Amino acid sequence: MRSMLLKSCQRKLTQKVSIRSGDAFNNLQYTLALLKPDLFTQPHCVKAVLNEFIPMNGLKIVIQKTVSWSVKDAQYFYAEHRGKYFFQRLTDYLSSGPFFALVLQGPDAISKWRKLIGPTRPDKARIHHPETLRAHFGLTDTRNSFHGSDSTVSAKKEIETLFPGFKFDKLD
């Protein structure tokens, strides 16, 4: 069943989300991508995201690693959400198991990755953006399988947090 869903997901994403790279106006950028604990437990899905969906959308994986966070690590990373109703749930979830952290590079990498992963809430993504990764792999608004930086400022801060010493001047 999961294999059929994965093939269906691949077909839909190829048809609807594939974004041409090489447009003259695109801005070469870095962004942070997280494949969260719920997705990490499904190696075949992780493999599809890493080897198919990311490159198919004009993005290159520059560096990646497996991460396991304490609750304090997660609270530091998501400090901007402190005081919001979902903060405790989010930080507990991100510290519940290992996940993948990736630095992606490409033309307009931030907006491409965010478009590919889709809206935060998988239930709404399934209705309004069924071609996105969260529509196919996300479980709930907290367990939504992915994170993507929302701006160049956030990308720089988040990348520095997860990949200290990363060289931002090495755009290919």
Side-chain angles (χ1 to χ4, degrees):
M1 178 68 175
R2 190 68 180 178
S3 174
M4 290 173 41
L5 174 65
L6 188 56
K7 286 180 183 176
S8 169
C9 180
Q10 290 167 338
R11 191 170 40 257
K12 288 176 185 175
L13 286 169
T14 301
Q15 294 168 352
K16 296 183 179 179
V17 181
S18 184
I19 301 168
R20 286 187 323 116
S21 62
D23 292 338
F25 58 84
N26 282 340
N27 178 24
L28 203 54
Q29 295 177 327
Y30 291 113
T31 191
L32 181 76
L34 300 182
L35 281 56
K36 295 180 179 179
D38 59 301
L39 190 68
F40 186 89
T41 63
Q42 302 175 60
H44 60 288
C45 295
V46 170
K47 185 177 178 181
V49 172
L50 297 178
N51 298 332
E52 296 174 39
F53 300 131
I54 288 174
M56 178 175 57
N57 285 280
L59 297 168
K60 175 184 170 186
I61 299 170
V62 177
I63 190 169
Q64 67 184 43
K65 68 179 180 179
T66 301
V67 178
S68 292
W69 271 348
S70 68
V71 172
K72 282 188 174 191
D73 295 330
Q75 289 173 341
Y76 174 78
F77 186 80
Y78 283 113
E80 67 189 71
H81 298 303
R82 189 176 301 278
K84 295 180 182 172
Y85 72 94
F86 58 84
F87 179 74
Q88 188 66 48
R89 190 175 44 167
L90 178 63
T91 56
D92 286 348
Y93 163 57
L94 257 290
S95 59
S96 69
F99 60 91
F100 277 114
L102 317 161
V103 175
L104 304 178
Q105 174 193 26
D108 292 319
I110 294 168
S111 63
K112 280 185 180 182
W113 176 243
R114 289 180 65 85
K115 182 175 181 180
L116 180 61
I117 64 176
T120 302
R121 293 187 52 184
D123 58 335
K124 291 189 184 227
R126 287 183 192 92
I127 295 166
H128 302 290
H129 302 280
E131 71 283 0
T132 63
L133 293 174
R134 282 180 174 148
H136 287 278
F137 299 114
L139 304 174
T140 67
D141 60 334
T142 301
R143 297 178 183 275
N144 62 16
S145 302
F146 301 94
H147 168 85
S149 304
D150 63 2
S151 68
T152 55
V153 172
S154 292
K156 187 172 186 332
K157 178 183 177 249
E158 292 171 356
I159 291 168
E160 288 172 342
T161 298
L162 280 146
F163 297 93
F166 181 79
K167 303 291 184 209
F168 286 91
D169 58 345
K170 296 178 96 176
L171 287 170
D172 293 337

